[in-house]
Amino acid sequence: MTTGQPGTGKAQPAAAGPDAGKQPSAASTTGSPTRPTGTSDADRAPVSTTAATTADGSGRPPRSTDGAKPAPATNGRPTGASAATEPGPAKADTTTTGGTGRASDAAEASSTAPNVTGTDAPKRGWISRLTKRGTAAKGKSAKGGDAKGGDAKGGDPVKADDAKVDAVKADDAKVDAVKVGDAKVDAVKVGDAKVDAVKGGDPVKDGETKDGATKTGGTAKSGRAGDADGPAQADGRTKPADPDRWEAFASAPEPKPSVLTRSSRAVGRFLIHEWTLAALGALALAVLMTWPTLRYPRYTLPQDYWDPSLQAWQMAWSGHILLTDPAHLWQSNTFFPELWSFAFSDTLLGYAPAGMLGSGPADAILRYNIMFVLAHALATFGAYALARQLGAGRIGAAVAGVTYTYAPWLLSQAGHLHVLSNGGIPLALAMLARGHGWSLRHGYRPEQRHDGWIYAGWLVAAWQLSLGFGIGLPFAYFLGGTVLVAVVLFFVRRLRTRQAVPFGRRLIVANVLGGVLFAGVGVLLAFPFFRVTKLHPYAERTIDDVSIFSPPASGFLTAPAESRIWGGLHEGARAALPWHPEMTLLPGYVLYALALGGLFFSVWRLRHRLLLLAGVLVTMAFAMGTRFFDGTFTYVPLFEHVPGWSALRTPGRLMLWTTLLLGLLAAGAVTALTDRVRELTAQRIPSWPGPWLRMATLLPLLLVTVEGLNSTPHPVVPTQPAALRSAEGPLLVLPSSQNLDQHVMLWSTSGFPDVVNGGSGFTPRQLDDVRRVSQSFPNQTSVDYLRTLGVRTVVLLRDQVPGTPWEITIDAPVESLGITRQEVGDSVVYRL
């Protein structure tokens, strides 16, 4: 019987129990001297096979090497063991104490006699024979074949006469092989406290103890066989184990969260994610910076109501025709009877899904204003994502996003949604860089490659191209040049290092498929424009057209009138520009200052800063068109040799790329500043100035935001005439001009009847003829000409006729012309 403290597993040898007298004296059996017990595995020494004597022969129990006194046994469990004696708690499957001359209770319980426990165990079976020879064996019950409470799990009940002892050496108490039913103890060395027990057939490695086997000089906590699995019964079965008395004090298990809880946690993590916050912040900033666009979104349009009316019609037409007759997408209801009329200007085809919602002019205006705000939000988010992917910090990336979207020069483009819809450019670049595992700050990291981002990047690039070639065409050529440069650098590095650069077949496939998709979308979109050029060769731009819109160098320092900060101050400078709406190209003085600082203090490497500076200068030169050495080395070669470039008559819009590169330079400087402030606040004692220093890093973001404030007008759109709500086409609305016809296009969204009117980047000759002939309407010549074209209805707007030839003829009789005349509201409707 062993002694110890409950629950500790650290056993001490106890005084002889009631059965001590029944066992032969260890001294008379072996006569071998005792040896001191070691305190560690390294100091182990074989102990004496004598159970009743100590090293001094006093017969008293040996004391623990750490000074702990043995405690009396309590309820059959050992107490008083010290931590130095046993490193870990012993389980219910226990060994006998080294030096008591007893086998374990689990081994004793393998006898066929019922309830063999406690002090009767040494009298029975093979253990008695071992103790008569003076051995003090340490055994251990086996699991999955071990004998527990008289029952070997997975085997038959253990009988005392089934135990075999292959080799017993009295001097070192070595049992080579003990088979208890299916349980096998390979080697038990009392002196070394070594038990090679088999659990489920797996031998224990030398030097290891399992399930409470003791180490050097330490005795394991012993107990009755019934302590493990209940008392043994006569039929070999065990009683159910009683619940552990200490379970009541255990901590309650954490309850499994419900589906609702898990869902709410997932939503919470999503809401506080960086990209969610960035998207929401970009959207909120867009609403504020474009205000009052959403104040009266069904009645007003930003800047003016000419080009925005045209673009509102474009979105409405693409959504309507894709739902009703997709085959006639390019044959719009305007410019009747011209073919391919939808390709007379940039189409905003990528916004077609929005055009599928709602109908009529009011919904078209609402749709335009919503997309106007969302375009600003996407541009901010896209530039932020690109700067973050390249290695900028959050504040630096925010500076890049705000400057890219709200640069003062873009305020003059408030009436050109296809120019403001540029967020797909930086977003696609960010996705492609992410998919290739590349950043400006950290270089190429193959472990971060992901082909999914590459597919997404090419899809976004194709969508950006569908919004218009005015912005999309330079982007397409930039992507093509980037791919070419990347391929060349790939092979140069491979030849130089003689090693294959890790890239991967999946990335190659993704780029090939994505590039083919992008090119295919470009070809499909370009085909109608080539058809228009063939049908209307006079629509092609000339280098003289480009010269009209080419800005001088002073334009890079001049702000448009819509700038709230600089607009009034630069009024004189704008007056010196030939066409100031396309020549006021100031990206922001704060942006200039931050980019200049980024050349000297930045997180980007020096060569990257120099490359960004070179990109800024080159794009500025191209944006000047023919004003930079007559464009001989810049714009003119592109105009003459690059397919499609001749359609771009406003080179100043290339300032978009200059702004993006300046924003990246500024992001590097702001990131370096924030990193330095973070280091200072971490080292500063006391730390109270830290929050103020961190707030100071927001100053660049605040300044670029303030510089982007606008004073853009939001005029009320003319109300649709009542006559056009039910007029049947084909029809002509008079008076007709470039600006007035854009209103007619918007009004035609009620049912989309065919109309002769239309406004675009050029005027077809047939429409010129209609406007010239109809100056004398109604007369026989004009009526016959319109009938030849197929026109059946003419609507004359009274509020537009003052100062025109129709001011005299609007009330003239028409019975002799074979047509009818009807007053509908403020309009006169003629039916031919």
Side-chain angles (χ1 to χ4, degrees):
M1 182 174 184
T2 61
T3 63
Q5 190 161 345
T8 63
K10 302 171 183 179
Q12 287 276 0
D19 296 331
K22 299 179 182 181
Q23 299 191 29
S25 171
S28 61
T29 305
T30 62
S32 60
T34 60
R35 299 174 184 175
T37 304
T39 59
S40 66
D41 291 342
D43 297 329
R44 288 180 182 172
V47 301
S48 172
T49 56
T50 305
T53 62
T54 60
D56 57 1
S58 62
R60 291 190 299 272
R63 298 192 177 188
S64 172
T65 56
D66 62 354
K69 295 181 180 181
T74 304
N75 195 22
R77 297 179 182 270
T79 60
S82 65
T85 308
E86 175 64 33
K91 297 184 179 179
D93 306 337
T94 59
T95 63
T96 58
T97 58
T100 61
R102 295 183 183 180
S104 68
D105 292 333
E108 294 167 17
S110 62
S111 172
T112 55
N115 298 326
V116 181
T117 59
T119 58
D120 294 334
K123 300 179 182 180
R124 304 178 183 275
W126 57 275
I127 298 299
S128 299
R129 294 196 295 271
L130 290 179
T131 55
K132 290 181 181 180
R133 298 186 181 184
T135 60
K138 289 188 176 182
K140 183 175 178 296
S141 60
K143 297 180 181 179
D146 298 348
K148 281 193 174 184
D151 187 10
K153 294 184 179 180
D156 296 327
V158 181
K159 296 182 180 180
D161 55 0
D162 290 337
K164 297 180 181 181
V165 180
D166 292 341
V168 179
K169 296 182 180 179
D171 53 349
D172 56 1
K174 178 178 179 183
V175 181
D176 288 335
V178 179
K179 294 184 180 179
V180 185
D182 292 335
K184 180 179 179 181
V185 180
D186 289 336
V188 181
K189 293 185 179 180
V190 176
D192 292 332
K194 178 178 178 183
V195 180
D196 292 334
V198 178
K199 281 193 174 185
D202 295 334
V204 180
K205 297 179 180 179
D206 292 344
E208 296 180 356
T209 59
K210 300 179 72 174
D211 293 77
T214 59
K215 293 181 180 180
T216 311
T219 58
K221 181 179 71 173
S222 67
R224 297 191 182 106
D227 290 345
D229 288 332
Q233 298 180 357
D235 57 356
R237 295 193 300 261
T238 58
K239 292 183 179 179
D242 294 333
D244 191 346
R245 67 180 66 184
W246 305 109
E247 286 184 3
F249 299 95
S251 59
E254 183 178 354
K256 184 178 180 181
S258 63
V259 175
L260 181 61
T261 302
R262 294 196 300 271
S263 301
S264 61
R265 290 177 181 176
V267 171
R269 288 192 298 269
F270 172 78
L271 291 177
I272 63 175
H273 196 277
E274 176 188 355
W275 298 113
T276 304
L277 296 177
L280 295 177
L283 182 59
L285 185 64
V287 173
L288 295 176
M289 295 295 286
T290 59
W291 191 260
T293 299
L294 294 183
R295 186 177 182 180
Y296 303 108
R298 297 175 67 89
Y299 307 102
T300 63
L301 286 172
Q303 194 173 55
D304 58 55
Y305 42 58
W306 310 122
D307 284 351
S309 295
L310 164 64
Q311 293 167 341
W313 166 82
Q314 287 174 331
M315 286 188 285
W317 167 256
S318 60
H320 161 76
I321 198 64
L322 289 178
L323 288 176
T324 56
D325 190 6
H328 290 81
L329 170 65
W330 300 101
Q331 318 301 331
S332 73
N333 69 311
T334 59
F335 295 99
F336 179 84
E338 296 286 354
L339 300 176
W340 306 98
S341 55
F342 192 50
F344 284 0
S345 57
D346 277 338
T347 61
L348 292 175
L349 187 59
Y351 290 152
M356 298 177 182
L357 305 175
S359 62
D363 288 343
I365 296 171
L366 174 63
R367 183 187 304 113
Y368 179 92
N369 286 321
I370 292 176
M371 300 311 298
F372 180 82
V373 175
L374 291 180
H376 284 80
L378 180 62
T380 305
F381 181 80
Y384 176 88
L386 177 60
R388 286 290 284 155
Q389 173 59 32
L390 295 182
R394 291 183 176 88
I395 299 177
V399 169
V402 171
T403 56
Y404 178 74
T405 308
Y406 304 104
W409 76 273
L410 281 168
L411 297 176
S412 64
Q413 303 292 332
H416 301 142
L417 184 57
H418 63 290
V419 177
L420 300 177
S421 300
N422 51 53
I425 294 176
L427 183 59
L429 294 177
M431 289 178 171
L432 291 173
R434 173 67 182 87
H436 289 88
W438 184 85
S439 71
L440 198 63
R441 189 174 183 179
H442 306 290
Y444 179 53
R445 293 177 289 182
E447 67 278 3
Q448 294 192 2
R449 294 170 296 171
H450 197 291
D451 58 329
W453 285 111
I454 296 177
Y455 287 113
W458 285 111
L459 284 174
V460 172
W463 173 78
Q464 176 65 53
L465 191 62
S466 69
L467 294 176
F469 283 105
I471 297 299
L473 189 64
F475 176 48
Y477 283 115
F478 173 81
L479 282 179
T482 302
V483 171
L484 181 61
V485 171
V487 171
V488 171
L489 292 178
F490 177 85
F491 285 104
V492 167
R493 179 177 298 181
R494 183 170 184 176
L495 292 175
R496 186 179 61 184
T497 60
R498 302 290 184 178
Q499 295 179 355
V501 180
F503 193 75
R505 183 177 301 174
R506 296 179 62 178
L507 262 64
I508 296 176
V509 172
N511 280 289
V512 170
L513 294 180
V516 169
L517 171 67
F518 179 78
V521 170
V523 170
L524 290 176
L525 292 175
F527 177 77
F529 291 91
F530 284 115
R531 294 289 300 171
V532 169
T533 302
K534 184 177 180 179
L535 293 174
H536 307 278
Y538 51 87
E540 289 191 70
R541 316 294 185 186
T542 64
I543 198 65
D544 293 333
D545 295 330
V546 175
S547 299
I548 296 175
F549 297 99
S550 296
S554 61
F556 298 120
L557 301 175
T558 307
E562 292 81 3
S563 174
R564 185 176 294 275
I565 303 300
W566 306 115
L569 297 174
H570 293 181
E571 184 176 358
R574 286 195 303 274
L577 299 175
W579 186 256
H580 66 82
E582 296 290 347
M583 295 182 180
T584 51
L585 303 179
L586 176 67
Y589 289 110
V590 177
L591 180 58
Y592 276 144
L594 292 175
L596 182 62
L599 293 175
F600 304 97
F601 179 69
S602 177
V603 294
W604 312 133
R605 294 185 178 93
L606 178 60
R607 66 175 183 271
H608 294 152
R609 285 177 260 167
L610 295 177
L611 286 174
L612 290 174
L613 176 61
V616 168
L617 298 177
V618 169
T619 53
M620 278 185 168
F622 278 97
M624 293 178 66
T626 59
R627 294 296 185 100
F628 185 81
F629 296 102
D630 295 329
T632 304
F633 307 104
T634 55
Y635 204 87
V636 173
L638 295 178
F639 186 88
E640 293 178 348
H641 303 292
V642 175
W645 202 274
S646 58
L648 308 180
R649 64 173 180 173
T650 52
R653 294 175 183 176
L654 292 175
M655 191 65 185
L656 186 70
W657 293 92
T658 306
T659 306
L660 181 60
L661 297 175
L662 287 172
L664 293 179
L665 275 173
V670 174
T671 302
L673 174 64
T674 55
D675 290 348
R676 182 58 179 160
V677 168
R678 189 178 299 110
E679 294 174 1
L680 290 176
T681 55
Q683 300 171 1
R684 194 174 181 88
I685 299 176
S687 61
W688 66 266
W692 296 102
L693 290 175
R694 295 189 189 96
M695 290 182 63
T697 60
L698 297 175
L699 183 61
L701 178 60
L702 177 63
L703 291 177
V704 297
T705 303
V706 170
E707 196 173 21
L709 293 176
N710 74 87
S711 58
T712 303
H714 286 72
V716 178
V717 181
T719 306
Q720 180 189 31
L724 293 179
R725 298 173 188 171
S726 57
E728 297 180 358
L731 62 88
L732 170 66
V733 180
L734 296 176
S736 175
S737 66
Q738 172 72 14
N739 290 338
L740 291 175
D741 282 3
Q742 291 174 335
H743 291 157
V744 175
M745 299 173 77
L746 175 62
W747 295 334
S748 72
T749 55
S750 294
F752 294 97
D754 291 332
V755 295
V756 179
N757 307 74
S760 68
F762 78 100
T763 302
R765 288 179 178 174
Q766 182 172 272
L767 181 56
D768 270 340
D769 293 340
V770 170
R771 289 172 179 171
R772 177 175 49 81
V773 172
S774 61
Q775 292 286 330
S776 58
F777 184 86
N779 64 2
Q780 194 64 49
T781 302
S782 60
V783 169
D784 292 342
Y785 179 75
L786 294 177
R787 283 174 173 170
T788 303
L789 293 179
V791 177
R792 295 293 177 263
T793 306
V794 177
V795 178
L796 187 59
L797 306 178
R798 282 187 176 272
D799 58 346
Q800 300 292 333
V801 298
T804 66
W806 298 284
E807 188 175 8
I808 301 174
T809 62
I810 190 171
D811 294 321
V814 294
E815 289 79 4
S816 61
L817 301 176
I819 62 176
T820 61
R821 179 179 177 276
Q822 180 184 5
E823 296 280 348
V824 180
D826 292 337
S827 305
V828 180
V829 179
Y830 300 89
R831 304 191 185 279
L832 309 184

